[in-house]
Structure formats: structure tokens, C-alpha cells
Amino acid sequence: MGKKAVVIITAAAVCAAAAALVVRHRMRSSGRWARATAIIKEVEEKCGTPIGKLRQVADAMAVEMHAGLASEGGSKLKMIISYVDNLPTGTEKGLFYALDLGGTNFRVMRVQLGGKGRGIISQEFTEVSIPENLMVGTSDALFDYIAAELAKFVAKEGQDYQLPPGRQRELGFTFSFPVQQSSINSGTLIKWTKGFSIDDAVGQDVVAELSKAIEKQGLDMRVSALVNDTVGTLAGGRYVNGDVVAAVILGTGTNAAYVERAHAIPKWHGLLPKSGDMVINMEWGNFKSAHLPLTEYDHSLDTESLNPGDQIFEKLISGMYLGEIVRRVLCKIAEEASLFGDTVPPKLKVPFILRTPDMSAMHHDTSSDLKVVRDILKNVLEISNTSLKIRKVVVELCNIVATRGARLAAAGIVGVLKKVGKDALKDGEKQRTVVALDGGLYEHYNEYSKCMENTLRELLGEEVSESIVIEHSNDGSGIGAALLAASHSQYLGVDEA
């Protein structure tokens, strides 16, 4: 055999080996895609929310509401009596303050209410951050700091704000931590959350603590109402629209509050309020039902959370967790299908690195090459050189997780409407029922809010859904508290004119 023949045979062998490598790579690649597709398909099936399942969730929500109203601890839903029995009517008049403490910042606000037909004449607020040392210090130190900032704000009251002579200023206090309320303006702190840890405040009446600090500042101000942010949203919604019956927050966390007939609350042992109504703070994030479509990713997220077994509904539908569920699925695809290369990108293993605003931006990407998805994968997860095919998988996954959350949120709302008898039309009745919604998730994640509203229509049917209105109630936790100070003012009836 000559040299020429050897070269030809060697070249042929090299070509054959290269072809074999290409075939093997393609087979491996198609195997990876088959596995990735199988994982996505399984997630889609497990996250499924057919209309029948959603009706079961709505029914379960209504059943749990009944149980929570019957006795303390009777349900995963706390169904907390808020002591708000007078919601604003739009006729309130005068100067009122609000203090909103719910995290590392707090806001103080003032509003001048003009009375019937005039609404809010003017409003101003300031936001103050709380020094870290005060979040783990003493009760006195925290409330003294807040009262000092409040006093500074009151000192800047301008000509637009008029307090009748001889009157005390009145304040609504939004306190978004677990509290056992005992009246409209008293409540005992059960525990701190959100990075606060002030032991000597636990078990104390937070209104008494704030009032003591206000007095030290020489400020003549009465705390008229202690409210949670969802109850504040309900008050803000009702002030603008008398048909508001419930409020839902869909933000980092989630909650709902609604107006209940006082005689339908078996665990209420006080005198029935004159209005006959009582606002209930559901704490619906803690809702749990066998009908909720849970996946292995939800179970692992819950197990590794700070509150395993609690807030299951919140972990499925709220902004804190949606991006994290997507990350967990992507991590599994990276591990089992090597979608992002032979090793799992280190950043993909970091819990909560993929925030829901990033997920929303990817879900809303309409560019032909999904540029936004490419940039977020690169900048947040340090995954470069992704193909369009991979980016499409990511968008599909965002859609699956957001759709489940939005449809379950709609089922929750239908459960509340069912409990108050607004889920069906009564003969000859032309009713209009309004649900006030607030929260960044609802406000900014358009695909989520659109899907939720479409699902509401699907669940209620065309005729009933025409009478149900979702209204965005912006900043209920601030203005709502001031409005509740007005509707529970000590001067009510003194000058109705």
C-alpha cells in the first residue's frame, strides 16, 4: 500500500470519527432537550389549575373562613377581628395623621378631608429609614425615635392644614406585624418579623408604647385606630367607592380583608356594633387545602423556609416566592439536562437570587430574540451564550408559574365573594360589588393581573362578572389609616356640619 492510500484511509478515519462525534453530540443534545422538555411538561401538569380544581379551592376558602370565624384556632385562616366597625363614608372632615410602620422604613402622613363631595383636599408625607441598631434595641428607643420624627413632621404643618381650636390631633397607626387586637386602638405585639427583634416590646400594647413616646415629645395627639395594611386598603377603597366589600394585597406578601356581618361571627362575644358590620383581617396567606396544586419545588421551598408548613397560599401566589420557584425548576433542568453546560452555573444555586421583578421582565419580553431574557440570565445568574431555544423555555416556565399564582389568587377572591353571598346574582337585583386591590405584584406584573381578572370572569360566569369590579386602591396602608382615624374619631357627631 502506497503513502497516498494510507493518507486517504487516515483522512477517512478522521472524518468518520468526527461524524461519530457530531452524531454523539446531537444524540446527547437531543437527550438533554428531551429531559428538559419532560421536566417542563411535568411542572406544567403539576401546576395545572383547571376550572374544576379552582372551584374546589374557592369552596375550601369559604369553608375555612366559616371555621376561622367560629373559634380561635379553628382554621389555618386566623380571621382576626379588626374592631373596625365604621368604614369611611366620604363625609369625614378635618385634619388627620397616619403612621405606617411595616418594615425598615416608616412613613408619616397628614391629610385634610373636606367632607361630603370634597374628598381629600390635600395630603403630604415623609419617609424615614430606621437605623439598624434600633431594630434590635429596646421598645423605648424605637418608639422614641418614631415619635421624634413624627413631632418634626407635625411642626411643619402648613396653612393648608387646619385643626379646629381646642382639638387633639388624631392618628391612624398601620402596624404590619402580628398583633392580638383588643379594641380599635389597642393591640398586643405577638412577635416581630422582617428583621426586627426587640424582646421587651413583645407582649406590650404597641399603641400604649407609641402614645407614651408621643407624650414625651410634648405632642398632643391621640392614636384613634390601630390597623393592618390590608384593612387600610379596604378603608381607602370604601372612602372612594361605597360598593367596596373586600380588599386584597398582592405584593411581596399577600392578604385579604372584608366586611362581615357581626352576627355571623360566632367567636365575637362583645356587644354587636351599631353598624352591624365588622371588618375581618383574614390573614389568607396561611390558607392551606388538599386542592392546592403543589409541586416538588413548592415542597422543598417550604421545607427550607423560615416558617415550614405556614403561609402555603402565600408561597404559591405572592411576589416573594414566584421568582424563587422558577429558579428551583431551572436548577433541576441544569442538573438533570445540562441545559446551561456541563456544570450548574453557581449563581443558579443561590436561593432567592431570581426576584419576581426579573421574572416579570422576562415574561413580558416581546423582542424577537428575547434580549431581555438573555440579559437577565447573563447579569443575574451569570449564564452567557444562551440560545433562543433556551430563552423560550425560560419564558414558558415564567408563564406556567405566574399563571398558577394568578388563577389561585382569583379562586381565593371567589371564595371571599361566596362567603358574603356576592358570587351569584339574586333575582331582580342589580348589585355592584367592588374588590379593592393593591400591591406591587398586581400593579406591575401585567401578565399576572390580566390572567387573574380573566380567571375571575371564567369562574363567575359572564353575567355575575359584569357586577364584580376590581379597582386599584393605591397606598391604602397610608391614607387608609388616616381615614380610619377619621371614621373612629372621638369628635364624631360633634360637628357633622
Side-chain angles (χ1 to χ4, degrees):
M1 193 186 291
K3 272 188 185 174
K4 200 171 178 182
V6 171
V7 168
I8 288 167
I9 289 167
T10 308
V14 167
C15 286
L21 272 172
V22 168
V23 169
R24 208 173 307 137
H25 176 72
R26 278 190 186 146
M27 281 172 68
R28 209 158 126 226
S29 183
S30 67
R32 284 173 175 180
W33 269 109
R35 183 68 194 120
T37 308
I39 291 170
I40 292 285
K41 196 168 185 309
E42 187 191 13
V43 171
E44 189 170 24
E45 281 169 12
K46 290 273 171 69
C47 286
T49 48
I51 207 71
K53 184 179 269 293
L54 292 178
R55 290 212 164 93
Q56 289 174 320
V57 170
D59 289 344
M61 180 70 81
V63 166
E64 288 298 318
M65 289 170 77
H66 277 282
L69 289 174
S71 62
E72 292 298 346
S75 161
K76 277 296 242 181
L77 292 180
K78 290 197 176 70
M79 302 301 282
I80 297 165
I81 293 167
S82 71
Y83 293 86
V84 171
D85 54 7
N86 280 320
L87 280 166
T89 59
T91 59
E92 292 77 15
K93 199 174 176 183
L95 168 64
F96 296 93
Y97 277 79
L99 165 64
D100 182 1
L101 173 64
T104 52
N105 293 347
F106 67 90
R107 284 184 313 155
V108 285
M109 174 184 282
R110 60 178 147 248
V111 296
Q112 186 77 36
L113 305 176
K116 194 169 185 179
R118 294 189 66 200
I120 297 169
I121 295 171
S122 46
Q123 63 182 77
E124 336 181 274
F125 75 92
T126 187
E127 192 156 333
V128 184
S129 62
I130 299 171
E132 276 182 34
N133 61 308
L134 293 183
M135 292 170 67
V136 292
T138 65
S139 180
D140 280 357
L142 175 69
F143 284 107
D144 285 350
Y145 178 75
I146 290 169
E149 291 297 329
L150 177 61
K152 277 187 214 166
F153 184 67
V154 171
K156 292 175 185 161
E157 216 172 78
Q159 291 300 306
D160 292 343
Y161 299 91
Q162 299 297 321
L163 187 74
R167 294 251 174 126
Q168 242 186 335
R169 286 179 182 82
E170 295 186 281
L171 172 129
F173 183 19
T174 303
F175 186 74
S176 300
F177 298 91
V179 159
Q180 184 62 53
Q181 210 151 336
S182 43
S183 75
I184 184 62
N185 62 351
S186 62
T188 303
L189 177 64
I190 297 167
K191 63 172 182 179
W192 290 104
T193 55
K194 308 173 198 178
F196 282 79
S197 180
I198 303 170
D199 291 342
D200 68 343
V202 176
Q204 298 301 314
D205 178 353
V206 292
V207 172
E209 293 293 294
L210 176 61
S211 300
K212 184 173 73 179
I214 287 172
E215 217 172 290
K216 276 191 216 166
Q217 292 294 327
L219 198 55
D220 189 19
M221 183 179 271
R222 174 179 179 263
V223 182
S224 305
L226 172 67
V227 297
N228 111 317
D229 55 355
T230 319
V231 174
T233 300
L234 179 57
R238 176 65 77 92
Y239 181 74
V240 177
N241 190 326
D243 294 324
V244 169
V245 298
V248 174
I249 303 257
L250 286 165
T252 307
T254 183
N255 194 10
Y258 75 104
V259 183
E260 184 58 274
R261 298 171 316 286
H263 65 75
I265 311 171
K267 69 181 180 183
W268 171 258
H269 300 303
L271 292 169
L272 288 180
K274 275 190 203 134
S275 66
D277 291 333
M278 179 60 73
V279 173
I280 299 293
N281 164 20
M282 290 175 62
E283 293 293 337
W284 88 348
N286 209 35
F287 171 64
K288 196 174 185 178
S289 161
H291 300 298
L292 292 173
L294 296 165
T295 66
E296 62 183 89
Y297 311 99
D298 302 302
H299 289 301
S300 65
L301 185 153
D302 178 48
T303 306
E304 293 163 30
S305 70
L306 294 171
N307 52 351
D310 287 340
Q311 301 297 105
I312 298 299
F313 195 51
E314 182 167 82
K315 287 168 184 168
L316 292 175
I317 75 170
S318 83
M320 175 87 186
Y321 301 100
L322 296 178
E324 172 62 6
I325 297 163
V326 169
R327 181 199 69 82
R328 284 171 181 264
V329 181
L330 287 176
C331 209
K332 168 125 174 181
I333 294 173
E335 285 164 0
E336 296 193 7
S338 305
L339 195 64
F340 306 115
D342 291 333
T343 56
V344 178
K347 287 273 183 183
L348 193 53
K349 293 179 178 175
V350 179
F352 293 95
I353 192 168
L354 187 67
R355 295 161 52 251
T356 300
D358 296 324
M359 170 189 171
S360 169
M362 292 194 291
H363 195 172
H364 291 122
D365 188 358
T366 53
S367 61
S368 57
D369 61 345
L370 297 177
K371 181 184 180 301
V372 177
V373 178
R374 185 192 68 202
D375 291 349
I376 286 171
L377 291 175
K378 188 180 171 189
N379 299 332
V380 177
L381 298 173
E382 293 179 3
I383 300 170
S384 302
N385 308 322
T386 52
S387 67
L388 183 58
K389 200 173 172 185
I390 285 173
R391 298 200 284 273
K392 281 180 175 171
V393 166
V394 174
V395 174
E396 188 185 351
L397 183 55
C398 292
N399 186 53
I400 290 166
V401 173
T403 299
R404 177 185 66 168
R407 284 173 70 81
L408 288 173
I413 292 171
V414 171
V416 177
L417 293 172
K418 197 178 263 291
K419 173 69 183 74
V420 294
K422 301 287 188 182
D423 63 322
L425 288 177
K426 300 192 174 60
D427 288 345
E429 190 181 73
K430 270 273 183 231
Q431 66 170 25
R432 186 170 179 275
T433 302
V434 181
V435 179
L437 255 107
D438 197 12
L441 183 66
Y442 172 76
E443 198 178 344
H444 303 300
Y445 199 149
N446 296 339
E447 287 291 334
Y448 184 102
S449 38
K450 204 166 64 186
C451 175
M452 188 195 79
E453 288 176 22
N454 289 340
T455 307
L456 265 177
R457 275 193 289 279
E458 198 183 337
L459 280 165
L460 293 165
E462 211 53 53
E463 205 184 353
V464 177
S465 59
E466 276 175 24
S467 69
I468 307 290
V469 182
I470 299 289
E471 267 184 16
H472 182 211
S473 171
N474 205 4
D475 187 34
S477 60
I479 290 177
L483 294 170
L484 286 166
S487 66
H488 291 82
S489 166
Q490 63 191 323
Y491 303 111
L492 273 185
V494 173
D495 58 351
E496 295 294 68

